[in-house]
Amino acid sequence: MLSPLVFARLLSQPASVFEEVAESAPSPVAVFLGASFWLGLAPPVFAFIGASLFGWNVGVGEPIFLPTQVLLSISLAYFAALLSGFVSASLVSQWMASTYGAQRSLGVHFALMTVVGAPLAFGSIVHLYPHVIVNLLVLVPMLIWSLYLLYWGLPIALKTNRERGMLMASSLVAFLLVAAVSLLGLSVVLWTYGIGPRIWV
């Protein structure tokens, strides 16, 4: 089971965390309900609280305040997008495993994605003050840390060699980039057709 102590060790002993993931063979349900769900819940909760108290600040003009019902809808959509991304990345990782000679246990892939995403979840506390510049200054280093953990930890957790692990990690990053751009495009299309919050500046 992934615990807060395990995540704390990501700073000092990242290799041992991934070795533990590789040897534990956890249940996907246990990983999801024990850690992934709660880490995915943190960013939308912080964003809801921050936007309610301070409004969204895009760097110019006054902060944008939205009704509570609209903020709740956006936060729920944010949560759904994060969980969908987590599950899809885990399934794609499992699907790729046979190509790169890695183990295919879904629980291990769930655990790997949870550990890799932990820095971003922890960094999302900055959503309590939703200013675009402040958020970028915190979340970009967290993203770099997550990418480092993915490239470093994937070969260990999935028991494949370093070269294949690097290729598999790069393929996962490519998938996540395509998914993020597709989600952004879908959001723009929906907003264009009036499905989204009305914002008056």
Side-chain angles (χ1 to χ4, degrees):
M1 183 70 68
L2 298 172
S3 66
L5 181 60
V6 169
F7 294 119
R9 282 167 42 216
L10 284 174
L11 282 171
S12 58
Q13 300 173 311
S16 68
V17 173
F18 290 109
E19 288 168 359
E20 185 175 314
V21 168
E23 300 303 327
S24 61
S27 158
V29 175
V31 174
F32 183 79
L33 296 180
S36 311
F37 179 87
W38 304 106
L39 286 175
L41 187 61
V45 168
F46 291 144
F48 177 82
I49 295 171
S52 299
L53 295 176
F54 303 106
W56 284 334
N57 193 322
V58 296
V60 293
E62 295 297 317
I64 299 169
F65 287 90
L66 295 174
T68 301
Q69 185 176 358
V70 174
L71 287 177
L72 184 59
S73 298
I74 293 172
S75 298
L76 289 173
Y78 187 13
F79 181 54
L82 289 175
L83 288 189
S84 298
F86 165 76
V87 172
S88 63
S90 300
L91 292 174
V92 168
S93 177
Q94 184 194 35
W95 172 70
M96 290 179 178
S98 57
T99 301
Y100 295 99
Q103 63 169 319
R104 290 181 48 82
S105 167
L106 183 57
V108 170
H109 290 271
F110 266 45
L112 172 65
M113 292 301 143
T114 301
V115 171
V116 166
L120 286 169
F122 294 149
S124 70
I125 195 171
V126 76
H127 287 347
L128 289 172
Y129 183 63
H131 188 292
V132 65
I133 302 300
V134 175
N135 276 252
L136 283 174
L137 288 175
V138 173
L139 291 177
V140 168
M142 293 298 102
L143 176 61
I144 293 171
W145 186 16
S146 286
L147 288 173
Y148 167 77
L149 290 176
L150 177 64
Y151 279 93
W152 173 259
L154 186 148
I156 300 172
L158 300 186
K159 298 182 178 178
T160 187
N161 63 50
R162 182 64 58 183
E163 292 76 16
R164 288 183 174 183
M166 293 284 285
L167 290 172
M168 184 174 174
S170 297
S171 299
L172 280 171
V173 170
F175 164 77
L176 291 171
L177 286 173
V178 170
V181 171
S182 300
L183 180 61
L184 182 61
L186 178 62
S187 301
V188 170
V189 170
L190 292 176
W191 211 333
T192 301
Y193 284 95
I195 304 173
R198 305 287 198 279
I199 296 178
W200 294 271
V201 184

